[in-house]
Amino acid sequence: MNLHKLTSRLCPKATQKFRHLHIQSSGQQLEAVAVETASAEANPLSVFRTSERDPTYHSEGHSGQYYTLPPTHIQKLFPYGLPPRFQLQIKTFNEGCVMVRPPALELISYLKRADYSKPPLRYVLYGDIGTGKTMSLCHALHYCYSQGWLIVHVPDAHLWVKNCKELLPSSSRPSRFDQPIQASQWLKNFKITNERFLSKLKTTQRYVWTKRESTEKGQPLGELIDQGVNRMKSSSDVVGAVLRELRLQAGGATEGEGAFKLAVAVDGVNALWGKTSLKKEDRTMPEELTLIHNLRKMMKNNWSGGAILTALSQTGSVFKPRSAYLPSELLGEEGFDNMEPFVPVSVSNYNEKEFESCYLYYLDRNWLQHPHSRSEEGKKELIFLSNKNPSILERLCAFL
Amino acid sequence: MAASGCRGVRSILWKYGSYGKNLFVSRSKMVPQVKCFLIFKNLAAAGPQKFTQEFIDKQVEEFEVGKRHLANMMGEDPETFTQEDIDRSIAYLFPSGLFEKRARPVMKHPEEIFPKQTAIQWDAEGRPFHFLFYTGKQSYYSLLHDVYEKILAIERHQDKMRNKGLFTSDTKQILLTGSRWLLKEEIEENLVENISVQDYMRLIQLMELLLSMPYCSLEEEFILKFRKQLEVQSSKYEIPALQYDPQGVAFSFADGRRKSAKASITLRDSGSGNITINGRNYLYYFPVLQNREQLMFPLLFVGMSGRFDIEGSVEGSGHSAQAGALRLAISRALLSFVSEGEVEKMRQAGLLTADPRIRERKKPGQEGARKKFTWKKR
């Protein structure tokens, strides 16, 4: 198994810091988590909720419990980042509740203990389909946001390798191709998430876009982004420039007010090294896409002062079989070599306690309307039919 | 000439019934001018072929002799050569690839092969033997008369007991549970003549009347001739044996089939509710909810959903058929873990019945099994 090869090839700094790496060979194992229900802060009415809203203070004791995402945070941080079904659920229930689960807790604990003067560590969330990788990623990202980091969030890298309506040849390099719509969309979202940083950061070099337009050195980053949003043609290059700036400036404690930590979160990271389904006008495959190229550069750990959080995804991937869920299968040879060394975090189906709390949450929200679903028999049926898989359970309860 | 000849032939047929066949041969030799179509016409009018008693006796003799020859051929003892042995030997000596089992070569006692026929019911002068011949259904009416005789006999017995003062209403009753009245077809077979539905109902009414009398146990034997025992259905299923692992965990194997999908599973009593099919988790092998519900049904019905570990392999057909095959296999494997009453309940729920539906064959002259080509009026 590639995971065993991984342990030997992990860089020695990591092994010193992280004594126990939860490497599980199959995503199906149900972990027996110690049952610690009500802590002092917990609501006396509901066992499955916790009133602790700050992910910084989430611990093992909260595992299996739901915490509410503050609405302001949802607007700023996750305008587009949450899975679409979860967004619908937020709208229906009028609140966004996320379950605290061991993989997310693990990630957060690593983030807390990491040393940010060294090159960033890469964390890869992997697991079977529908087990909660994207949600765990969002949970960890919420932690980063509440700590005041700068977030670079790519909600789904697969959207950049397929179904692009416009594919322009790049203005700067002849062999590359641009995706103006996706790039400008992403820049807009980046702006919403990281508003407070935009005025503080300055560009370090001069960027020339066309014969008449250029951004001088020392301009605030916000201007760069506006340039990209307004001028669609060069938006992909702007993205590249922004990423480069962030790489150069992250973790620079000596910059004065520009000190910040950078969190690069990419969902569906296996798209970066997979095949594209895009074609040029003359029906051949493009050699290189600007956005993908820039993202790949971000993935390399030749900068410092941040963390790279990624999650694999099979659902959006092109040309990959449904049964593939391990990093080696989804990333492919090239991807695996590029991503190595990384810290794998496995995400699996609910265990009994988590299933129980999910069930109670749905009951509490009056989501399970069918009278039979409230009985023991109904619960057994739900367990069987969904095999405690979060997404299948959610789809099942949707029509009950 | 031909017309008179034909009339003559017909009259001879009417008189001699089954001898007509032999007469035909002789007649046609004498009068070669009789046209062929006349012969065919009369053949159809004569009705189904009639066999004489002599003919049947001869066939029985030949059968017995042939049986002994066959036994000698197969090297077995002619004295103890049963019908099963005959069937086996014939299947060995005349192997046939025909799908229809009834079309294969068969050697059975003439009683089973030749249909039962009534013997000639009138004497040489044309006078019928039986007094009820002119009713048309002589055996049926004579049966009714017999039953009524018995009813009268029982009434007389009752009166005798009353006169003696020994009349009691709680006498021995005939046990009727587990048996049913013979069907109309079976009675027709016994009487060797056709009866109508009303006739059958009348007969059953008479029998019920007989049964309603207190002293009917006198005629128990007679009544039981008209009842057929029902076999207990659930005893037909063979329960797979319960085997034990080295660790002491009980497990059992079972197979199931549906529409050309074959499944075989191992049911282990370890207690986690994992189901692995062809090496993959059932959630990923059956993404469709309906198929997972099919798998769930036997376990939920018996109430042991979280108790077993199932390991299965299935091949062939489509996903629904595979789910159906697995369901049958799971129900069969569960039989060894479950009590007798539960087995009956499962049978009534339809869990143990193999679904006989298969794909219907496409017929020539049609698009598919049922769909016809576009009908054009002109």
Side-chain angles (χ1 to χ4, degrees), chain B residues 186-218:
Chain B
E186 286 161 351
I187 293 194
E188 279 182 358
E189 223 181 309
N190 286 346
L191 299 177
V192 199
E193 63 185 23
N194 294 336
I195 52 177
S196 73
V197 182
Q198 290 85 359
D199 296 338
Y200 174 69
M201 302 298 290
R202 181 87 190 95
L203 175 65
I204 300 291
Q205 274 169 10
L206 256 183
M207 301 296 283
E208 303 264 308
L209 180 62
L210 183 58
L211 275 176
S212 66
M213 312 183 84
Y215 284 94
C216 55
S217 48
L218 296 170

Side-chain angles (χ1 to χ4, degrees), chain A residues 215-288:
Chain A
T215 314
E216 301 298 328
K217 185 170 166 181
Q219 295 279 332
L221 208 60
E223 264 210 38
L224 199 59
I225 295 182
D226 288 327
Q227 169 75 35
V229 168
N230 296 332
R231 295 268 181 270
M232 298 268 275
K233 262 192 90 171
S234 45
S235 46
S236 320
D237 291 321
V238 169
V239 169
V242 164
L243 292 176
R244 190 163 164 277
E245 290 300 320
L246 293 173
R247 266 206 309 275
L248 290 173
Q249 297 184 17
T254 54
E255 286 266 342
E257 56 179 26
F260 63 91
K261 290 196 210 133
L262 184 61
V264 180
V266 184
D267 201 348
V269 73
N270 43 329
L272 297 181
W273 290 282
K275 299 189 227 169
T276 57
S277 69
L278 298 173
K279 294 195 175 100
K280 303 187 286 202
E281 272 119 16
D282 51 349
R283 303 267 190 92
T284 52
M285 305 280 276
E287 286 101 2
E288 224 185 281

Side-chain angles (χ1 to χ4, degrees), chain B residues 112-157:
Chain B
E112 294 167 41
I113 296 186
F114 295 104
K116 276 204 228 163
Q117 286 169 352
T118 50
I120 298 293
Q121 282 151 9
W122 51 86
D123 55 14
E125 278 127 24
R127 282 218 189 90
F129 296 126
H130 203 281
F131 72 102
L132 287 173
F133 175 77
Y134 287 108
T135 59
K137 300 180 238 185
Q138 62 181 45
S139 344
Y140 168 73
Y141 283 107
S142 71
L143 178 63
L144 284 187
H145 275 286
D146 288 337
V147 176
Y148 196 63
E149 274 287 335
K150 295 202 189 305
I151 291 176
L152 288 176
I154 290 181
E155 275 184 4
R156 266 180 258 132
H157 182 77

Side-chain angles (χ1 to χ4, degrees), chain B residues 76-95:
Chain B
E76 304 207 12
D77 185 13
E79 306 299 328
T80 56
F81 207 56
T82 59
Q83 185 58 47
E84 283 166 11
D85 296 327
I86 297 179
D87 292 333
R88 209 174 13 93
S89 325
I90 295 288
Y92 170 71
L93 290 170
F94 302 99

